[in-house]
Amino acid sequence: MSVSFTRTLRSLRVEQSRGAIIVFFLVTLLLTVWIAWLVFGRVSVYAVSTTARLEAGTATHSIQSLYAGRISANHLVLGRKVKKGDVLVELDTNVQRLQLFEERTESGALAAAIDTIQKEIESEERAMEEEQRAAQLGVAEAQARLREAEAAASYATLEAERKGKLKQAGLLSDLEYARIAADAQKQNATVESLRLAAKRQDTERLSLQSQRRSRIEALRREQGRLAGNRTKLGAQLHRLESEMKLRRIIAPIDGTIGEVANFRIGAVIAAGEKLGAIVPAGALKVIAQFEPAKALGRVRQGLPARLRFDGFPWTQYGTLTATVSTVANEVRDGYVRVELTPSRDFRIPLQHGLPGSTEVEIEQISPALLVVRTAGQMLGPSTNEAARSGAAQAPPSQPPPEGQKQ
């Protein structure tokens, strides 16, 4: 019986040694695998944004009015799909419409007055042409009578000279010679009278022509003044028409009305007051804000990322994959702006304004390096603080006594 008990103890000891060897082997194997993973494995390092949200690919357009006025029609409905040129809000234009009617009436009256003056100018020009022709005929007639009188005067002068020779020879009486000489003087006086009449007629022709031209110039000046006033009215009409068009606020782009102010028909708005906003149709993008220490030099274009939405738990809905498209070079308001291009494959409909957070995979390193880096980051501040405090407590170095060698 003692022999069998001894054998049993020996077999138990052998089994225990075998179990210890197996346990040691398994522990050694796991430790080796863990060390190998720690040294040669790869884990992703992420830079997490402070905030992130989905935005439209192009900027959101505000709906504003250039003029103050009273709303007469409001077609702003939240979520409404609009096309470029659709009327969104209409302001009251009764005052502008009345001004437009008055100025159009005045412009029509000016046009009639300008047409009347043009007809007067044409009439004056025709009258001046007719007077010129009549005056030319009168001058020609006077010139013909003058030439006729000059011929008669020349003959009478020659006759008087011939009779004077006869008188000197005693062949003609004094009375007869006096009559002939008087007739010659009469003819010469007639010639001078006709010459003066022709000159006077030509002077009257020029004076009448000058009066006609002055009248025409005065009419043209008046016509120009009226035309200037009509042009000014035309500019005012164009301004009023443009203002009336601008009082019909239209959609500048295709998109969806994403914001609407609470204005009812009859409400008075100020110039430049925001009435709503249109979210443009098209691709969406992710706008994330990172701390400078996390983004600058680390987040680069083309890096993969994932987006988690605040209202949709990632454990249920998953994450939205994205790719970094642009990274700002300057810090603004304490953050760096990063734009990412999201994928279309997601379980919920994507829309402008969805908030969340973004994780950008900046690198892949071994777990051992990650542990060392984390330990360095944890110990770095305390070490630096200790170094700064030690430097502050250290007494200032004293110069060596004279004569002592350094």
Side-chain angles (χ1 to χ4, degrees):
M1 182 176 181
S2 60
V3 175
S4 61
F5 180 75
T6 302
R7 289 178 179 177
T8 302
L9 289 176
R10 287 179 179 176
S11 62
L12 289 175
R13 290 174 180 174
V14 171
E15 291 295 332
Q16 288 177 356
S17 62
R18 287 178 181 176
I21 292 172
I22 293 173
V23 170
F24 176 76
F25 176 76
L26 291 175
V27 171
T28 303
L29 180 61
L30 291 176
L31 185 61
T32 303
V33 172
W34 180 77
I35 292 174
W37 173 80
L38 192 65
V39 176
F40 300 104
R42 286 291 180 269
V43 293
S44 298
V45 179
Y46 292 91
V48 182
S49 67
T50 305
T51 60
R53 67 192 299 262
L54 281 177
E55 291 188 3
T58 54
T60 302
H61 287 255
S62 298
I63 303 172
Q64 294 175 309
S65 173
L66 295 178
Y67 300 96
R70 184 175 62 85
I71 297 177
S72 60
N74 188 357
H75 307 288
L76 290 174
V77 179
L78 195 63
R80 173 192 170 192
K81 302 288 185 181
V82 295
K83 296 290 185 180
K84 183 178 180 181
D86 289 350
V87 178
L88 303 178
V89 178
E90 297 182 26
L91 301 182
D92 182 64
T93 58
N94 287 331
V95 175
Q96 288 74 21
R97 190 175 292 107
L98 290 175
Q99 291 179 356
L100 192 64
F101 176 76
E102 291 176 359
E103 295 191 359
R104 280 178 176 171
T105 303
E106 187 175 355
S107 178
L110 287 175
I114 291 172
D115 185 62
T116 301
I117 291 176
Q118 180 63 32
K119 292 179 180 179
E120 290 183 10
I121 291 174
E122 294 174 355
S123 176
E124 290 287 336
E125 289 176 346
R126 287 194 299 269
M128 185 175 66
E129 292 177 357
E130 293 175 357
E131 288 175 353
Q132 286 294 319
R133 287 194 295 269
Q136 289 175 357
L137 292 175
V139 170
E141 183 180 0
Q143 292 291 337
R145 288 198 302 268
L146 177 61
R147 288 192 298 269
E148 181 182 359
E150 286 177 347
S154 177
Y155 176 78
T157 302
L158 292 175
E159 183 66 18
E161 291 176 354
R162 188 175 63 83
K163 295 296 183 181
K165 292 178 181 181
L166 293 175
K167 177 181 174 299
Q168 291 177 358
L171 299 176
L172 186 65
S173 64
D174 293 337
L175 182 60
E176 185 66 21
Y177 176 76
R179 185 183 63 78
I180 293 172
D183 187 58
Q185 289 178 358
K186 181 180 177 181
Q187 293 294 332
N188 289 328
T190 302
V191 168
E192 187 64 24
S193 176
L194 290 174
R195 184 178 290 113
L196 292 175
K199 185 179 295 186
R200 184 183 67 253
Q201 191 171 4
D202 188 58
T203 302
E204 291 175 353
R205 178 184 65 83
L206 294 176
S207 176
L208 186 59
Q209 183 180 8
S210 177
Q211 291 176 3
R212 289 288 185 183
R213 287 179 177 175
S214 298
R215 172 64 176 166
I216 291 173
E217 290 299 325
L219 290 173
R220 285 177 177 171
R221 283 194 299 270
E222 180 65 15
Q223 187 183 40
R225 186 184 67 81
L226 295 179
N229 291 339
R230 188 167 182 243
T231 302
K232 184 178 179 180
L233 277 177
Q236 293 177 358
L237 287 172
H238 181 70
R239 178 184 59 81
L240 285 173
E241 290 172 353
S242 300
E243 184 177 341
M244 290 178 65
K245 289 181 180 178
L246 291 176
R247 286 179 178 271
R248 298 172 70 249
I249 305 171
I250 62 175
I253 56 171
D254 298 343
T256 305
I257 298 178
E259 181 184 353
V260 174
N262 187 17
F263 288 109
R264 296 182 178 181
I265 295 177
V268 178
I269 61 173
E273 189 168 358
K274 186 175 181 180
L275 306 178
I278 297 178
V279 179
L284 297 173
K285 62 182 179 181
V286 180
I287 304 298
Q289 303 288 342
F290 285 82
E291 295 179 358
K294 295 180 180 179
L296 294 178
R298 300 172 67 82
V299 178
R300 300 180 302 277
Q301 184 179 3
L303 292 178
R306 59 190 182 188
L307 179 65
R308 298 180 181 181
F309 295 103
D310 294 341
F312 301 90
W314 69 272
T315 54
Q316 179 181 356
Y317 295 95
T319 58
L320 175 65
T321 59
T323 304
V324 177
S325 56
T326 57
V327 181
N329 295 323
E330 294 292 336
V331 179
R332 185 174 183 180
D333 297 332
Y335 296 98
V336 176
R337 177 187 172 99
V338 177
E339 296 185 4
L340 305 95
T341 303
S343 64
R344 291 287 186 177
D345 186 14
F346 199 59
R347 297 176 60 182
I348 63 173
L350 302 179
Q351 66 181 47
H352 173 82
L354 279 177
S357 62
T358 303
E359 300 174 351
V360 179
E361 184 181 348
I362 56 178
E363 59 179 338
Q364 289 186 348
I365 60 176
S366 65
L369 182 58
L370 181 61
V371 172
V372 172
R373 181 183 296 178
T374 304
Q377 292 175 351
M378 294 176 63
L379 296 177
S382 60
T383 303
N384 294 335
E385 291 176 1
R388 287 194 295 269
S389 62
Q393 295 176 1
S397 58
Q398 299 293 332
E402 297 181 0
Q404 182 177 356
K405 294 184 180 179
Q406 296 291 335

